[in-house]
């Protein structure tokens, strides 16, 4: 008789195995081999390279302790990114000072055709930081700054099971001639991948081309970026729970300008502008194109931003943080034609002064300000932001804050037919409001860096997609949700190993009013308990082991028919950098190590275990 292994036992076994390896490394006499420097896409995860495709900005978030990435096929194919129990449309993305947004649906928020090698590691903004700097994202924002270009290059290839193959090329160039005292640099990349997929009709074919010109001075950096990306992928039950093989064909183009000037990291200003176009051709049944309705959509978004943080010369202890964000969108669609409008203008203004007071207990910072949100289609909103922070002489930080934020629904919710079709919307959905109260601390102790936060959030009129028995469609419904949560992040880094441990607890209560709801695809699809463990072990002589682990206890959902509500998902990478062949890296990667069948999104099949072998050369 076969005995099943509890998921937590698998998580514990993986963690103990990793710690055992680390313990052995601590008593080894050999000095660790110093690996050549290469781009780190995220500081919080171990594996920087995906198994089945090339790296995208979303790749470094999959095992991020403070981000829950709910995947369909690959994370790089379609990923719903949620923060602190929010849903995919509550999460924003920001590059430099420019917010990136898809007005059709939050499913495409992470369609960003930028090579991660061009970006610094992402930062997760929540609470007051998100209220001030985010855009149309109630709960959180993933923000990344532009990386300074260096004279370097990299070529990488990979092959794996399911006929998987991937290739990428990156080159950075720095001019030796100064222009008005500033350095001229440029970088470009090309990446592609294809695979038959780990399940039938789970194939993909991706390409991305991106480039950047940069002017860099001692206290300023200007970036001009252009990128295009094409993604075709299929998956059974991609968006609907009816056992049909669905597909997406996406074309995304992005043009972006960003200029940042500073006198110190905390005293700066930056201005930016962007144009983004996203073309989407979704097929409910890929073998019968256009069945039910052709779902073809094009969105256009133009944006402008100005933000900064400045000392006030007249008052030595006063700092002003401010932001101006303006955006215009437009929708062309064959199916989203039942709403009241298909263009919208947005304006967001924020101003939050800060007073710094030095006391015997430490440096006390008090912030109080407001955020103004408006569109030409909805009522405006004025939201307060209040925060108190104490930094003790030991470096320990305590804070408490209250912040409100708001957003408006996307066109799929507003303009889908209310009484027919696979996705049923409501043109009368209005502005959504979120109120966040939290307290937390950060400190260092015994080689560990620790962040902890306790929060309560109230979301009113949140737009969720729900299921009701007897109705062969998902429906956009407004819901009031109370979320209580606790986050803990602990990091330890040594010359021999790195450890990043995370834990999140969430509890929710929801009120859909008079709507008939039997299951929620998003608002109530959350992990009550989620533990993450990222381990990097530099074994010496050019060998390195990287392992990401996640254990979760998911809220029950009647749409989740296989895989259970508890799961362990792990990704393992073994790397070898031959000491006598400087710049060469060989890797063996395994995704979904335990072949978990857990469904990130209810009714959407999980990707199966997958292996790949890769080689990269850096110069």
């Amino acid at each position: 008789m076969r005995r099943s292994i509890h998921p937590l036992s698998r998580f514990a076994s993986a963690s103990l195995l990793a710690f055992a390896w680390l313990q052995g490394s601590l008593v080894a006499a050999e000095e660790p081999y110093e690996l050549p420097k290469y781009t780190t896409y995220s500081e919080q995860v171990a594996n920087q390279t995906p198994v089945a495709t090339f790296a995208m900005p979303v790749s470094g978030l999959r095992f991020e302790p403070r981000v829950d990435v709910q995947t369909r096929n690959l994370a790089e194919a379609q990923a719903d990114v949620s923060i602190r129990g929010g849903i995919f449309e509550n999460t924003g993305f920001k590059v430099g000072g420019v917010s990136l947004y898809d007005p059709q649906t939050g499913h495409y928020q992470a369609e960003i055709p930028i090579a991660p090698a061009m970006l610094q590691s992402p930062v997760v903004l929540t609470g007051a930081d998100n209220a001030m700097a985010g855009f149309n994202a109630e709960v959180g924002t993933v923000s990344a700054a532009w990386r300074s270009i260096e004279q370097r290059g990299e070529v990488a290839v990979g092959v794996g099971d399911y006929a998987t193959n991937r290739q990428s090329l990156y080159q950075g160039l720095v001019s030796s001639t100064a222009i008005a005292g500033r350095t001229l640099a440029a970088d470009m990349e090309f990446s592609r991948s294809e695979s038959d997929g780990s399940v039938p009709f789970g194939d993909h074919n991706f390409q991305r081309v991106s480039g950047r010109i940069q002017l860099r001075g001692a206290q300023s950096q200007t970036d001009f970026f252009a990128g295009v990306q094409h993604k075709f992928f299929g998956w059974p039950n991609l968006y609907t729970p009816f056992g049909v093989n669905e597909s997406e064909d996406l074309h995304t183009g992005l043009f972006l300008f960003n200029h940042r000037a500073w006198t110190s990291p905390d005293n700066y200003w930056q201005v930016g502008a962007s144009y983004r176009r996203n073309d989407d051709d979704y097929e409910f049944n890929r073998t019968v194109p256009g069945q039910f309705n052709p779902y073809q959509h094009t969105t256009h978004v133009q944006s402008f931003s100005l933000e900064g943080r400045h000392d006030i010369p007249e008052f030595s202890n006063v700092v002003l943080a401010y932001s101006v964000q303006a955006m215009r969108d437009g929708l062309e669609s064959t199916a989203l034609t039942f709403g009241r409008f298909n263009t919208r203008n947005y304006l967001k203004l924020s101003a939050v002064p800060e007073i710094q007071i030095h006391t015997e207990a430490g440096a006390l910072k008090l912030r109080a300000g407001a955020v103004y949100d408006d569109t030409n289609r909805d009522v405006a909103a004025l939201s307060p932001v209040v925060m108190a922070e104490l930094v003790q002489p030991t470096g320990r930080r305590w804070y408490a804050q209250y912040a409100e934020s708001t957003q408006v629904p996307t066109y799929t919710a507003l303009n889908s037919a209310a009484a027919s079709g696979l996705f049923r919307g409501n043109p009368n959905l209005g502005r959504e409001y979120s109120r966040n109260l939290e307290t937390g601390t950060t400190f260092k102790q015994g080689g560990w860096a620790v962040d902890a936060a306790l929060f309560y959030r109230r979301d009113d009129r949140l737009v969720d997609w729900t299921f009701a028995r007897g109705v062969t469609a998902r429906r956009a419904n407004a819901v009031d949700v109370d979320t209580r949560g606790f986050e803990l992040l602990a990091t330890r880094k040594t010359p021999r190993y790195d450890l990043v441990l995370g834990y999140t607890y969430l509890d929710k209560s929801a009120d859909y009013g008079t709507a008939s709801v039997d299951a929620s695809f998003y608002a109530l699809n959350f992990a009550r308990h989620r533990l993450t463990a990222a381990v990097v072990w530099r074994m010496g002589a050019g060998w390195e082991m990287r392992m990401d682990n996640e254990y979760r206890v998911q809220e029950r959902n009647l749409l989740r028919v296989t895989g259970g509500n508890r799961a362990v998902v792990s990704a393992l990478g073994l790397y070898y950098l031959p000491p006598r062949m400087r710049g060469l890296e060989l890797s063996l990667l395994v995704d979904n190590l335990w072949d978990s069948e857990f469904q990130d999104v209810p009714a959407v099949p999980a990707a199966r275990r997958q292996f790949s072998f890769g080689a990269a050369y850096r110069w």
Side-chain angles (χ1 to χ4, degrees):
M1 180 174 137
R2 185 179 177 182
R3 298 180 61 187
S4 62
I5 302 176
H6 192 279
L8 186 56
S9 299
R10 286 181 176 171
F11 182 84
S13 298
S15 301
L16 287 173
L17 179 61
F19 282 122
W21 286 337
L22 293 173
Q23 183 66 25
S25 73
L26 289 175
V27 299
E30 180 189 4
E31 289 297 318
Y33 171 70
E34 184 177 354
L35 300 175
K37 184 178 180 180
Y38 63 95
T39 301
T40 299
Y41 301 146
S42 175
E43 298 286 351
Q44 309 297 340
V45 300
N47 288 287
Q48 306 293 318
T49 305
V51 171
T53 186
F54 51 86
M56 301 182 188
V58 73
S59 301
L61 301 176
R62 186 167 165 224
F63 289 96
E64 225 293 342
R66 291 168 294 192
V67 175
D68 191 2
V69 178
Q70 299 163 2
T71 65
R72 297 173 170 89
N73 195 333
L74 314 169
E76 294 76 16
Q78 204 287 301
D80 292 340
V81 181
S82 69
I83 297 173
R84 288 187 169 180
I87 73 169
F88 61 102
E89 290 191 335
N90 297 151
T91 301
F93 288 85
K94 191 171 186 177
V95 176
V98 179
S99 294
L100 302 178
Y101 177 62
D102 191 283
Q104 180 199 333
T105 171
H107 292 309
Y108 306 143
Q109 300 278 56
E111 298 302 322
I112 302 173
I114 303 177
M118 299 179 180
L119 302 174
Q120 297 182 27
S121 296
V123 176
V124 180
L125 306 178
T126 57
D129 292 332
N130 175 67
M132 290 186 291
F135 177 84
N136 210 55
E138 289 183 325
V139 179
T141 297
V142 179
S143 178
W146 289 103
R147 190 185 296 270
S148 297
I149 297 175
E150 299 176 346
Q151 183 77 32
R152 68 180 185 88
E154 175 181 335
V155 61
V157 297
V159 294
D161 47 4
Y162 311 113
T164 297
N165 66 88
R166 53 180 168 83
Q167 303 85 37
S168 63
L169 171 67
Y170 173 84
Q171 179 64 60
L173 299 170
V174 179
S175 172
S176 59
T177 303
I179 300 177
R182 306 180 73 194
T183 301
L184 175 64
D187 58 357
M188 60 77 61
E189 69 86 34
F190 168 76
S191 300
R192 68 166 301 279
S193 70
E194 61 182 345
S195 173
D196 290 342
S198 62
V199 303
F201 298 98
D203 52 321
H204 86 259
N205 192 320
F206 299 162
Q207 300 95 35
R208 180 184 64 210
V209 179
S210 59
R212 180 174 51 141
I213 297 174
Q214 184 179 90
L215 285 170
R216 187 171 66 249
Q219 293 182 318
S220 67
Q221 180 174 304
T222 307
D223 293 276
F224 302 89
F225 171 85
V228 293
Q229 182 171 276
H230 173 220
K231 291 169 47 177
F232 172 85
F233 59 95
W235 202 250
N237 282 18
L238 183 64
Y239 295 110
T240 66
F242 307 127
V244 179
N245 296 315
E246 307 171 42
S247 68
E248 284 269 33
D249 195 352
L250 300 170
H251 291 78
T252 308
L254 177 64
F255 301 89
L256 191 149
F257 157 79
N258 194 87
H259 174 76
R260 181 182 180 97
W262 63 88
T263 56
S264 71
D266 293 329
N267 196 11
Y268 71 93
W269 66 273
Q270 64 181 339
V271 62
S274 71
Y275 169 73
R276 180 183 183 272
R277 172 180 172 139
N278 191 66
D279 295 295
D280 163 40
D281 184 358
Y282 162 73
E283 295 293 349
F284 168 68
N285 186 342
R286 60 187 294 181
T287 62
V288 187
Q291 186 176 9
F292 289 107
N293 267 322
Y295 281 83
Q296 298 172 348
H297 322 284
T298 298
T299 55
H300 307 265
V301 179
Q302 302 92 34
S303 69
F304 168 83
S305 68
L306 171 66
E307 66 177 34
R309 188 176 187 275
H310 296 292
D311 299 328
I312 306 299
E314 293 78 9
F315 303 95
S316 59
N317 62 336
V318 177
V319 176
L320 175 65
Y322 62 89
S323 173
V324 177
Q325 298 188 67
M327 190 174 288
R328 176 178 173 81
D329 70 33
L331 170 73
E332 303 166 23
S333 175
T334 61
L336 305 179
T337 59
F338 298 87
R340 297 179 289 112
F341 53 88
N342 59 4
T343 64
R344 186 162 45 189
N345 299 331
Y346 309 76
L347 177 64
K348 178 173 182 175
L349 308 173
S350 67
V352 181
E354 175 185 303
I355 299 175
Q356 302 178 359
I357 304 172
H358 295 281
T359 69
E360 292 184 0
L364 178 64
K365 300 179 181 180
L366 302 175
R367 303 177 195 172
V371 179
Y372 175 79
D373 289 274
D374 196 13
T375 81
N376 62 330
R377 307 296 188 181
D378 302 89
V379 297
L382 186 64
S383 307
V385 176
V386 181
M387 182 172 181
E389 175 184 334
L390 177 66
V391 180
Q392 296 177 313
T394 60
R396 183 160 190 158
R397 170 178 173 262
W398 300 89
Y399 74 91
Q401 62 175 244
Y402 175 78
E404 297 182 6
S405 55
T406 180
Q407 68 181 83
V408 292
T410 57
Y411 287 121
T412 298
L414 290 169
N415 291 4
S416 295
S420 63
L422 297 170
F423 311 100
R424 300 187 183 179
N426 182 347
N428 299 314
L429 292 169
R431 185 172 288 278
E432 308 165 47
Y433 299 87
S434 181
R435 299 166 178 85
N436 184 81
L437 177 65
E438 72 175 275
T439 183
T441 184
T442 63
F443 61 91
K444 293 183 178 180
Q445 184 73 39
W448 290 88
V450 179
D451 293 277
L454 183 68
F455 62 90
Y456 167 79
R457 189 178 70 253
R458 168 77 178 187
D459 297 320
D460 291 323
R461 304 178 190 173
L462 171 71
V463 177
D464 186 24
W465 290 89
T466 61
F467 172 81
R469 291 183 177 92
V471 180
T472 57
R474 63 176 62 190
R475 184 181 300 276
N477 278 312
V479 57
D480 297 337
V481 183
D482 293 317
T483 303
R484 296 157 288 275
F486 171 72
E487 285 181 338
L488 180 66
L489 175 66
T491 303
R492 180 180 175 86
K493 296 188 177 184
T494 74
R496 178 67 74 175
Y497 67 89
D498 299 338
L499 293 175
V500 181
L501 306 177
Y503 170 69
T504 301
Y505 168 79
L506 294 172
D507 179 65
K508 287 189 176 186
S509 56
D511 181 5
Y512 288 90
T514 60
S516 176
V517 174
D518 291 313
S520 162
F521 284 95
Y522 304 112
L524 300 185
N525 178 41
F526 66 97
R528 283 192 173 271
H529 303 276
R530 180 172 180 257
L531 293 87
T532 60
V535 182
V536 177
W537 176 29
R538 291 171 282 275
M539 298 180 283
W543 289 92
E544 181 169 296
M545 186 276 293
R546 293 174 166 263
M547 192 173 188
D548 290 294
N549 303 279
E550 175 192 75
Y551 169 70
R552 62 194 303 137
V553 179
Q554 197 79 2
E555 180 75 353
R556 294 186 179 277
N557 192 306
L558 66 85
L559 288 167
R560 184 172 283 107
V561 294
T562 62
N565 298 308
R566 298 171 183 262
V568 170
V569 179
S570 299
L572 178 66
L574 183 64
Y575 299 81
Y576 177 58
L577 292 90
R580 295 187 179 182
M581 299 182 68
R582 202 76 175 174
L584 178 65
E585 175 193 270
L586 305 176
S587 60
L588 176 64
L589 307 175
V590 187
D591 197 13
N592 194 5
L593 180 63
W594 315 110
D595 204 18
S596 170
E597 296 182 352
F598 174 76
Q599 298 175 344
D600 285 351
V601 180
V604 179
R608 307 314 303 266
R609 178 168 49 216
Q610 189 165 358
F611 297 83
S612 73
F613 171 78
Y617 182 72
R618 303 181 179 95
W619 58 89

